Structures are given as C-alpha cells and as structure tokens.
C-alpha cells in the first residue's frame, strides 16, 4: 500500500506542479477558459496547487511533519471539487471526468496517508528547534 500511495503522490505532485506553475507564469490573457475567472483567483489556485504538490512529497521525503501530507491531499480534493463543478456547469465532459479522477486519486492519498499507511516521522523539525 505504501508503494502505491507513493506512486500516486508523485504523479499527482507532478500534475499539480505543472498545472499550478502554468497558472502562476502564464499571462492572464492566455488563461481564458470556458468560464471567465478573475485573474487573482487563478493565481491563488495556482499557488494552492503548487503548495499542495509540495505538501504531497516533502513531508514524507524529509520525514518532517508527515501528517501534513493527508492535509495537502485534502486541500487538493477541494480544488478538484471546484474544477469538477465548473466542468459540469460548462458541460465539458472530458474536463469533468479528468477533474473527477484526479480528485478521487487525491482523496485516495488523503485517506491512505491518514488511515491505511500513515507515514512516521518527526513531529517537529529538528533543525529548526530553538537553541537551548
């Protein structure tokens, strides 16, 4: 189960790093979709996707606060619920199905890292402890 979760985490992280990165670097004029969304909101979603992608990988990799991984995955589920709702409102079946599948994979990671195969690690960052 741990291996399956890691594979899904890495694939989701790559997807969200790409999608979020594009929302951060592309000019707002290039990001016109079927539903016009405010530029600031698109930048916010891009930042949330990039941070969520990092949250899927870094806590487990560095073994610092691994409990953040299911929280990052849950946040990405919320983003994908919004993407699915927009896809349904527009009537774009392909976009809706992709958003739904990605959301379900993020939900799998959230539940898997919370209940099925939680990661063990330090509950506090050892390098950032105050000097005694």
């Amino acid at each position: 189960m741990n291996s399956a979760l890691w594979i899904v985490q890495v694939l989701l992280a790559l997807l969200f790093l790409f999608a979020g990165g594009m929302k951060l670097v592309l000019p707002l004029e290039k990001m016109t979709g079927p539903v016009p969304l405010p530029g600031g909101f698109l930048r916010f979603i891009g930042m949330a996707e990039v941070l969520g992608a990092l949250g899927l990988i870094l806590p487990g990799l560095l073994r610092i606060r691994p409990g953040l991984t299911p929280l990052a995955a849950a946040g990405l589920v919320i983003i994908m619920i919004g993407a699915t709702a927009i896809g349904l409102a527009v009537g774009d079946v392909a976009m809706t199905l992709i958003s739904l599948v990605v959301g379900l994979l993020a939900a799998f990671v959230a539940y898997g890292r919370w209940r099925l195969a939680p990661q063990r690690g330090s509950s506090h960052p050892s390098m950032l402890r105050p000097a005694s």
Side-chain angles (χ1 to χ4, degrees), residues 33-121:
V35 175
L37 297 172
F41 182 68
L42 287 172
R43 299 282 191 221
F44 171 76
I45 294 296
M47 183 58 69
E49 288 176 346
V50 168
L51 292 174
L54 295 175
L56 288 176
I57 300 297
L58 292 181
L61 194 64
L62 300 176
R63 300 206 188 285
I64 298 173
R65 304 231 189 238
L68 292 176
T69 298
L71 292 176
L76 292 171
V77 168
I78 293 169
I79 291 173
M80 295 318 296
I81 289 171
T84 303
I86 289 174
L88 286 173
V90 172
D92 188 349
V93 177
M95 184 174 95
T96 303
L97 286 176
I98 291 170
S99 300
L100 182 64
V101 168
V102 171
L104 289 173
L105 288 172
F108 167 69
V109 170
Y111 183 74
R113 286 298 177 206
W114 183 47
R115 290 285 183 190
L116 301 178
Q119 294 172 326
R120 303 288 178 224

